[in-house]
Amino acid sequence: MAYSVININTCSDITSNNNESMKRLESIYRDEYWLRCMKEIECAEANRIYCKHDFIHMMDVARIAYILSVEEALCIQKDVIYAAALLHDIGRSKEYTDGIPHDEAGARIAKEILKRSSYCEKEREAIITAIRDHRGHYEPEETSGLIERLSYVIKRADKESRLCLSCDARDTCKWPDDKKNLNIKY
């Protein structure tokens, strides 16, 4: 079954859960700019044989990052993790249309989307930094602050979410073999 952002219910009166954290998260995936970027990514990757940067990938990253946060006692608020995960590849839209690296474009797009949310300044800064750092080689020496903890779990979850061991395009993928997930990790 294929999942598309086109099918996301954007009715503003439907709320899965009335708590504030769910409303904060909904403000992202119901945002018109987020939906437009996701549709652009979906169209650009329609015939892509390699890993896609779709809603399924973003949810996989969110869930893995949350598990890492719990298992490693990093104490990152769940909706902050999910917000960063839903936004971490949003810059792919600009990478495909304008050639801008998706981590840089994603940080700018996320800043605009987060302005319309009720995330506090510290949370917005952590989310934007996690987006900007999720591709690089930056490894924090310690994960004491929210920015470092969130960047760590998003970057790690993004890499671990890829199921290279069962991918038909594994042999032609640009990822080096030592970076591919060729075994199940738990």
Side-chain angles (χ1 to χ4, degrees), residues 8-12 14-16 25-35:
I8 291 180
N9 185 337
T10 58
C11 297
S12 60
I14 296 176
T15 307
S16 310
L25 188 59
E26 286 176 350
S27 73
I28 292 170
Y29 68 82
R30 296 189 190 283
D31 186 272
E32 287 182 29
Y33 192 15
W34 185 87
L35 289 164

Side-chain angles (χ1 to χ4, degrees), residues 102-177:
H102 80 272
D103 48 340
E104 293 173 24
R108 286 193 293 258
I109 293 167
K111 186 175 183 177
E112 288 302 312
I113 292 170
L114 289 167
K115 281 181 187 177
R116 294 183 288 278
S117 76
S118 61
Y119 288 95
C120 72
E121 184 60 36
K122 181 180 175 182
E123 293 165 329
R124 288 193 303 261
E125 181 183 359
I127 292 166
I128 291 166
T129 301
I131 294 162
R132 193 174 33 250
D133 292 346
H134 84 275
R135 294 182 62 208
H137 301 288
Y138 168 73
E139 294 290 337
E141 291 184 21
E142 60 179 76
T143 52
S144 59
L146 176 61
I147 290 173
E148 295 83 10
R149 293 188 317 248
L150 186 61
S151 291
Y152 165 74
V153 297
I154 294 298
K155 179 180 177 182
R156 188 166 159 205
D158 186 38
K159 305 306 180 247
E160 291 183 13
S161 70
R162 301 309 189 172
L163 298 175
C164 305
L165 70 132
S166 65
C167 179
D168 292 336
R170 164 179 70 227
D171 294 334
T172 59
C173 179
K174 69 177 182 176
W175 273 23
D177 285 343

Side-chain angles (χ1 to χ4, degrees), residues 45 48-53 57 96 162-164 167 169 173:
E45 294 184 347
R48 184 179 167 101
I49 62 168
Y50 301 105
C51 296
K52 294 191 179 197
H53 304 92
H57 169 61
Y96 292 137
R162 301 309 189 172
L163 298 175
C164 305
C167 179
C173 179

